[in-house]
Amino acid sequence: NSDNKMYMLLLSLAAAGFFFAGIYAILIKSNQWAGGTSVEDYRTIRGTATGEYEEKKSRFIAQLSFADSEEKAVAFLEQVRAANRTARHNVYAYRLREGNRERYSDDGEPAKTAGTPVLETIGHAGVSDVIVVVTRYFGGILLGSGGLIRAYSTGASIAVKAASKAKIVPCGEYQVTLDYPQLGSFQNLLSTVEGEQTDAQYTDRIALTVVVPQEQANVFESRVVETFNATVVPQLVGTSNRPVKV
């Protein structure tokens, strides 16, 4: 009887060991994905966009860019200023997700008539990590406070509407090695999971680096193995937060 009890105890311990080993493996995988940090999805834009508006012979040229740091925002501002040295004003506003930072400048226009409406336009669009610079070429006619607010808001709105919207999501970075005849099928598969190729090395075989949204990772991994009969197995090598088109 005591032998039976000992046997049952050993079985219970073994089962518990398998259970906790599985949990441990899941935690390792989760930690590998998290990389010690996490990010909530948020909306931004991809690349750059422009918009132009004219009010009583004054031209308002709005230029917008993705910028996820103050350094990038300032660099874009200086780029626009350098290209428009003869303009009367280069008004700007930017909104960064990190630290919920917002900055704006009226650049010589009456207070609250230029930078503020540009910043409000960004906020109404619900996007972050964005800078908008609106360059004004003066047309000789004063617009008044209401005219300036309307002109700067409209120019910024045109640029925001023209921009390609995106959301920032956690992604897995994979390395995949293929034979040349497999490339077309793999690229088609990658597009079905919103993946993106970021690097390629061509030798006797093709070594690709691709990124895939975390929510599509399991589907991606299983489809690759299934499609290529386990001759191709994606290797997760890192994680990052990247813009995905919406």
Side-chain angles (χ1 to χ4, degrees), residues 200-237:
Q201 301 292 327
Y202 298 94
T203 56
D204 57 325
R205 304 187 74 197
I206 306 172
L208 300 180
T209 302
V210 301
V211 290
V212 176
Q214 181 177 350
E215 62 184 12
Q216 296 276 13
N218 290 337
V219 173
F220 169 69
E221 293 174 7
S222 62
R223 283 185 183 174
V224 170
V225 172
E226 180 182 345
T227 299
F228 300 105
N229 297 317
T231 61
V232 179
V233 179
Q235 300 296 319
L236 179 64
V237 295

Side-chain angles (χ1 to χ4, degrees), residues 41 44 50 73 84 147 165:
D41 293 1
T44 184
T50 60
N84 296 276
K165 305 302 188 298

Side-chain angles (χ1 to χ4, degrees), residues 91-93 104-106 111-122 149 152-153:
V91 168
Y92 73 87
Y104 70 88
S105 170
D106 295 309
K112 308 295 184 181
T113 64
T116 298
V118 173
L119 182 61
E120 289 175 348
T121 299
I122 297 173
I149 292 171
Y152 280 105
S153 295

Side-chain angles (χ1 to χ4, degrees), residues 24-246:
Y24 181 66
I26 292 171
L27 290 174
I28 290 175
K29 183 71 170 180
S30 299
N31 187 59
Q32 185 179 16
W33 266 108
T37 60
S38 62
V39 63
E40 295 180 1
D41 293 1
Y42 69 99
R43 289 173 60 85
T44 184
I45 63 103
R46 301 184 72 174
T48 60
T50 60
E52 186 168 342
Y53 177 73
E54 186 170 321
E55 176 83 9
K56 296 181 180 179
K57 298 184 179 180
S58 281
R59 292 174 61 210
F60 295 83
I61 304 169
Q63 300 184 69
L64 171 152
S65 177
F66 173 78
D68 58 0
S69 68
E70 286 192 304
E71 291 78 12
K72 290 180 182 178
V74 171
F76 182 75
L77 170 62
E78 293 303 323
Q79 176 184 324
V80 174
R81 281 175 172 168
N84 296 276
R85 294 189 184 280
T86 61
R88 179 72 67 91
H89 307 280
N90 285 290
V91 168
Y92 73 87
Y94 61 81
R95 184 184 190 198
L96 305 179
R97 178 181 179 275
E98 184 179 350
N100 294 317
R101 284 174 291 173
E102 295 180 342
R103 299 285 187 275
Y104 70 88
S105 170
D106 295 309
D107 194 30
E109 296 282 27
K112 308 295 184 181
T113 64
T116 298
V118 173
L119 182 61
E120 289 175 348
T121 299
I122 297 173
H124 291 157
V127 293
S128 300
D129 288 347
V130 171
I131 178 170
V132 179
V133 184
V134 183
T135 301
R136 181 188 182 188
Y137 283 91
F138 185 56
I141 301 174
L142 297 177
L143 302 182
S145 296
L148 288 172
I149 292 171
R150 180 174 59 253
Y152 280 105
S153 295
T154 302
S157 295
I158 293 171
V160 169
K161 289 177 182 177
S164 175
K165 305 302 188 298
K167 63 178 179 178
I168 300 294
V169 299
C171 292
E173 183 176 315
Y174 291 88
Q175 288 183 349
V176 181
T177 303
L178 304 165
D179 293 323
Y180 281 85
Q182 297 172 321
L183 180 60
S185 296
F186 178 80
Q187 289 175 329
N188 290 336
L189 187 157
L190 187 64
S191 67
T192 66
V193 294
E194 301 177 342
E196 181 179 352
Q197 179 182 312
T198 59
D199 189 40
Q201 301 292 327
Y202 298 94
T203 56
D204 57 325
R205 304 187 74 197
I206 306 172
L208 300 180
T209 302
V210 301
V211 290
V212 176
Q214 181 177 350
E215 62 184 12
Q216 296 276 13
N218 290 337
V219 173
F220 169 69
E221 293 174 7
S222 62
R223 283 185 183 174
V224 170
V225 172
E226 180 182 345
T227 299
F228 300 105
N229 297 317
T231 61
V232 179
V233 179
Q235 300 296 319
L236 179 64
V237 295
T239 62
S240 60
N241 301 317
R242 290 177 173 266
V244 175
K245 189 174 180 179
V246 295

